[in-house]
Amino acid sequence: MYEFFSTISNFLSQPLINIVLNTKDIPIIFAFILGLVGALAPCQFTGNMGAITLYGNKSFQMNVAWKEVVFFTLGKIAVFSSFGFLVWIFGSEVKTIMTVYFPWIRRIIGPMFILIGLFFLGFMKFSKTISLGGIIKGFQKEGSLGAFLMGVSFSLGFCPTMFVLFFITLMPMAISVNYGMIMPPIFAIGTSLPLIIAVFLIWYLELGGRLMKKGRRMGAIVQKVTGIIMLIIGVLDTITYWSF
């Protein structure tokens, strides 16, 4: 399964890799395009599909989910900026330590999608006293904290491709220039670009809230479809990252 996602990733990212090679003399653009390549990395691919499904669903049913997109991106910026700062201070020791924990952190995302899918499908109910339930309800309703935490969790889900892009490719250049500390946040924004584009298209085409206006029944159907998609993504993701 991982090889399948790797094949898709390589096919989609190859044109961007060529652009990256041509932008090494412009570090800021280099960091942004490298982040976009990261968005297509196997460990980020299913995560971005899940985020697009989740916030696309909310945009269709309610208002366009710009607030959630912003907080999702801020979560990514917080993580990558922290990693960049740690590498800046401690160097290669940080990379060695992180390789121990990244695989386990990445495995959390699949089960989390399964829980969200079951919640959307109505198979799971949570009281306000259960923190996990509060987070999942945050994904669906208020969304700011949930979106931030989702951005954080996706950013912690490194795979070999993402590790090479950030620690081996981006950070050496970031350390070599005076304004290198802004490169990890720009990289983070690049990894969020697929979600930003998807929500922008919903906003630009004025599709936000359209299904909710057509009635609760249509909105309920879309939510069920979203739950099914999230469940499928979660199962595929879990099989991929728990099988090795």
Side-chain angles (χ1 to χ4, degrees):
M1 187 64 71
Y2 185 84
E3 288 75 11
F4 172 73
F5 286 125
S6 295
T7 300
I8 296 176
S9 171
N10 292 334
F11 175 76
L12 295 175
S13 62
Q14 190 58 51
L16 295 173
I17 292 174
N18 295 333
I19 296 175
V20 167
L21 295 175
N22 292 324
T23 57
K24 284 188 175 181
D25 295 332
I26 313 174
I28 292 178
I29 297 178
F30 174 81
F32 180 77
I33 301 298
L34 200 65
L36 184 53
V37 174
L40 300 174
C43 54
Q44 297 288 308
F45 188 73
T46 53
N48 281 320
M49 287 175 60
I52 290 171
T53 301
L54 186 63
Y55 298 125
N57 167 63
K58 180 170 182 179
S59 297
F60 279 126
Q61 294 199 57
M62 303 177 193
N63 296 321
V64 178
W66 282 122
K67 182 173 70 173
E68 286 77 6
V69 171
V70 170
F71 276 91
F72 178 87
T73 305
L74 287 175
K76 282 179 165 284
I77 289 174
V79 171
F80 285 113
S81 297
S82 298
F83 285 156
F85 179 75
L86 290 174
V87 171
W88 199 288
I89 299 299
F90 298 105
S92 60
E93 295 179 6
V94 175
K95 294 186 286 186
T96 302
I97 295 172
M98 291 301 179
T99 53
V100 177
Y101 297 102
F102 281 151
W104 289 102
I105 296 173
R106 179 61 185 82
R107 292 179 178 182
I108 296 173
I109 296 177
M112 181 180 70
F113 279 165
I114 292 174
L115 288 176
I116 295 174
L118 292 174
F119 178 75
F120 274 24
L121 290 170
F123 290 113
M124 298 184 70
K125 303 291 183 182
F126 298 101
S127 67
K128 292 182 179 179
T129 59
I130 301 178
S131 58
L132 178 60
I135 293 173
I136 294 178
K137 286 186 177 181
F139 290 153
Q140 185 184 25
K141 296 179 180 180
E142 297 176 1
S144 299
L145 176 59
F148 181 84
L149 293 175
M150 181 173 278
V152 168
S153 64
F154 286 5
S155 301
L156 292 173
F158 271 64
C159 59
T161 302
M162 198 67 175
F163 186 89
V164 169
L165 289 175
F166 185 80
F167 287 107
I168 307 301
T169 308
L170 178 72
M171 288 311 302
M173 178 173 288
I175 293 173
S176 68
V177 296
N178 295 331
Y179 50 89
M181 284 305 295
I182 69 170
M183 292 179 66
I186 293 173
F187 177 88
I189 294 172
T191 64
S192 302
L193 190 60
L195 174 61
I196 295 172
I197 290 175
V199 174
F200 172 80
L201 290 174
I202 293 173
W203 169 79
Y204 182 77
L205 298 174
E206 299 181 349
L207 300 177
R210 179 166 295 185
L211 294 177
M212 183 61 74
K213 293 176 183 177
K214 291 184 177 180
R216 293 182 178 273
R217 183 178 179 183
M218 180 64 74
I221 292 173
V222 172
Q223 179 165 316
K224 298 296 184 184
V225 171
T226 300
I228 293 171
I229 295 174
M230 295 295 288
L231 191 60
I232 293 172
I233 292 174
V235 170
L236 292 175
D237 195 271
T238 302
I239 291 173
T240 299
Y241 293 99
W242 284 84
S243 60
F244 64 90

